């Protein structure tokens, strides 16, 4: 039931604004299903005319052929034309819907593990849905209609012979339906292998600069070869079954045709039917009766496999964790963000943050320090509302984080972290993230994040390249900072955002951050010099997921405690 609701919009997307092309192609395919029976009829008639040595009868069929073939050609062209429009629109809308739904998922849905699945659902699976569902659904009607017409014609010409045909035809039909089921299974396996192959490839490609520099190509190749082997093996197993299926049903079909021929010959010799009728039977079987028997179970099986892919996609793209009535927070923090007994871990039984009690008051600045792996970034992720599965209570102005609507949260909070995502677009668009800001504001943000020189020399329309490849790490970081300043969200979460900057630029940016009055700033930093740390209202030192120390710079230093040791270490 739930699945039906999930998949319905996806099936609707195939036909939305697409009924005319669909029904038009269906109509022309229906006309097309007369093709085989017509040819058989012409051949039979012509054979009888020849057997009767009737020249006018012959001429009549020649005239029919002259009209029939151009008409068929026209129908064929039109059916393809409409079908191509129908398939294009259907698959286009389907993909757009899937992407739209995916883009509405929560951030936590985009861990590395998931993205391979999304990628596959939008690439490999699409090809199969296009071919086996969209394209073949028209074909299915065509095949069934053709079969029925052929059967009707046979009954009209000779009941005895039709009976024989039906008895004989059961065998190939049985073969295809039994083998079709196995084929469907093998098709699903190929899709799964494709998914894991894509995920692996994506993973490797994103790491190639590292792979190269550490000369790990050989190991990379081994990983690839293994994944490739698994995929191609699955494809081979499917291909083999495909071929076996058509060989078996081809054999069974051929055998049937011979039996019909000999039986027909016998009936002709005993004067029960004409030679033309035998001709019609043999031709009809080959063109219109046996192919559907072979194709229909196959189409149905593939259709089923394709529908499973639609279902998989619908499930994957559904925003499973959207809650109704989520709380709204205002775009201005009035009191504080408070953590009480907050514990959190990525895996069960392995807490990363343990029983935290912290209070970030509106308008104040906080530095978070601590050894790497102590849970600093995880803490910011919680403050960004990325993970729901924390214990204890995390309140934003008194509202529980898990209950807060993300749209409203992101009007309050921005995260600047080390992984900067840039669109392959202009610097200006990367700064504004495609929103409208007046030039004055943009200039101000640019100045505060020490980007003025860079923009002066390159221009706002400079293209950043794929993933920002045309910019340096420091430039990317500064764009991320300017971006957040531009949005003027009143809570800024900053995760080592100046790590790629030289000391002077970093100092400039830290100065900017320190002087942002009215903003609540929570800054993870590894720069432990006095000049910078003393600007924060409070320093929080994390150690193995707990607060080791807390207080302003002078207090912490005077204690000669863990913080002091950390400072001494880094000095
Ligand atoms: P810090 O930012 O202080 O260096 P993190 O918060 O990034 O530390 O990490 C704290 C711990 O959580 C580390 O042991 C890290 O291995 C683990 N961790 C971080 N992110 C993930 C994740 N997405 N999945 C599983 N474990 C994670
Ligand atoms: Mg970190």
């Amino acid at each position: 039931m739930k699945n039906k609701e999930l998949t319905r919009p996806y099936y609707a997307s195939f036909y939305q604004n697409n009924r005319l092309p669909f029904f038009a192609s269906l109509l022309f395919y229906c006309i097309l299903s007369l093709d085989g029976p017509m040819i058989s009829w012409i051949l039979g008639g012509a054979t009888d005319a020849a057997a009767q040595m009737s020249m006018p009868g012959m001429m009549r069929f020649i005239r029919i052929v002259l009209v029939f073939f151009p008409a068929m050609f026209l129908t064929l062209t039109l059916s393809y034309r409409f079908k191509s429009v129908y398939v294009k629109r259907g698959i286009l809308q389907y993909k757009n819907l899937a992407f739209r739904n995916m883009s509405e998922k929560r951030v936590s849905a985009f861990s590395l593990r998931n993205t391979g699945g999304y990628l596959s659902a939008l690439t490999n699976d699409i090809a199969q849905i296009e071919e086996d569902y969209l394209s073949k659904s028209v074909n299915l009607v065509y095949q069934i209609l053709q079969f029925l017409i052929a059967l009707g014609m046979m009954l009209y010409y000779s009941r005895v012979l039709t009976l024989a045909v039906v008895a004989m035809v059961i065998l190939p039909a049985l073969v295809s339906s039994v083998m079709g089921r196995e084929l469907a299974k093998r098709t699903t396996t190929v899709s799964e292998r494709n998914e894991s192959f894509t995920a692996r490839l994506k993973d490797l490609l994103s790491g190639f600069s590292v792979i190269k520099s550490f000369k790990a190509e050989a190991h990379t190749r081994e990983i690839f070869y293994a994944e490739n082997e698994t995929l191609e093996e699955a494809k081979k197993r499917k291909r083999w079954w495909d071929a076996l299926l058509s060989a078996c049903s081809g054999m069974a079909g051929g055998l049937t045709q011979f039996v019909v021929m000999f039986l027909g010959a016998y009936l002709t010799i005993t004067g029960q039917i004409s030679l033309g009728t035998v001709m019609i039977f043999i031709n009809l079987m080959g063109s219109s009766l046996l192919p559907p028997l072979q194709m229909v179970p196959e189409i149905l099986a593939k259709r089923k496999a394709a529908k499973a892919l639609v279902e998989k996609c619908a499930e994957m793209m559904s925003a499973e964790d959207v809650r109704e009535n989520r709380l709204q927070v205002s775009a201005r923090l009035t009191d504080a963000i408070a953590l009480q007994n907050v514990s959190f871990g990525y895996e069960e039984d392995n807490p990363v943050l343990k029983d935290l009690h912290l209070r970030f008051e509106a308008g104040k600045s906080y530095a978070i320090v601590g050894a790497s792996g102590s849970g600093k970034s995880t803490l910011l992720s919680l403050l960004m509302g990325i993970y729901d599965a924390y214990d204890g209570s995390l309140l934003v102005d008194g509202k529980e984080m898990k209950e807060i609507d993300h749209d409203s949260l992101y009007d309050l909070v921005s995260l600047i972290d080390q992984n900067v995502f840039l669109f392959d677009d202009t610097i200006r668009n990367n700064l504004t993230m495609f929103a409208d800001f007046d030039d004055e504001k943009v200039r101000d943000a640019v100045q505060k994040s020490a980007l003025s020189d860079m923009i002066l020399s390159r221009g706002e329309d400079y293209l950043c390249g794929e993933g920002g490849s045309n910019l340096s790490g420091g430039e990317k970081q500064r764009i991320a900072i300017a971006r957040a300043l531009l949005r003027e969200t009143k809570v800024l979460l900053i995760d080592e955002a100046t790590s790629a900057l030289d000391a002077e630029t970093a100092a400039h940016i830290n100065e900017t951050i320190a002087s942002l009055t009215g903003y609540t700033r929570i800054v993870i930093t590894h720069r432990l010099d006095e000049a910078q740390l003393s600007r924060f209202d409070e320093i929080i030192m994390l150690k193995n997921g707990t607060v080791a120390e807390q207080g302003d710079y002078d207090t912490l230093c005077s204690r000669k405690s863990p913080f002091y040791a950390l400072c001494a270490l880094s000095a």
Side-chain angles (χ1 to χ4, degrees), residues 240-341:
W240 155 233
W241 209 256
D242 247 340
L244 198 63
L245 201 152
S246 40
C248 286
S249 46
M251 271 291 289
L255 207 67
T256 327
Q257 261 173 313
F258 276 114
V259 171
V260 169
M261 203 191 95
F262 290 125
L263 185 62
Y266 169 77
L267 291 175
T268 315
I269 293 166
T270 55
Q272 299 181 49
I273 55 174
S274 74
L275 195 60
T277 304
V278 181
M279 192 69 173
I280 290 177
F281 265 76
I282 292 175
N283 208 270
L284 267 182
M285 284 186 70
S287 74
S288 310
L289 196 84
L290 292 175
L293 281 178
Q294 185 190 340
M295 299 285 289
V296 170
E298 192 184 313
I299 292 177
L300 287 175
K302 286 187 171 174
R303 215 175 130 84
K304 209 166 146 197
K307 283 173 101 169
L309 293 180
V310 173
E311 199 167 302
K312 188 176 103 187
C313 172
E315 264 170 38
M316 195 185 281
M317 302 303 185
S318 79
E320 65 296 307
D321 43 9
V322 170
R323 280 206 200 86
E324 298 300 318
N325 300 329
R326 293 191 136 237
L327 296 178
Q328 304 287 316
V329 283
S330 83
R332 182 168 287 277
L333 191 66
T334 48
D335 177 33
I337 299 175
L339 288 81
Q340 285 152 15
N341 299 88

Side-chain angles (χ1 to χ4, degrees), residues 499-516:
S499 58
L501 303 181
D502 58 279
E504 198 185 329
T505 316
H508 175 93
I509 287 179
N510 284 324
E511 177 54 36
T512 298
I513 293 167
S515 58
L516 285 171

Side-chain angles (χ1 to χ4, degrees), residues 346-347 352 371-379 387:
Y346 294 96
E347 295 134 25
V352 172
S372 103
S374 55
K376 305 182 296 293
S377 299
T378 305
L379 175 61
Y387 301 109

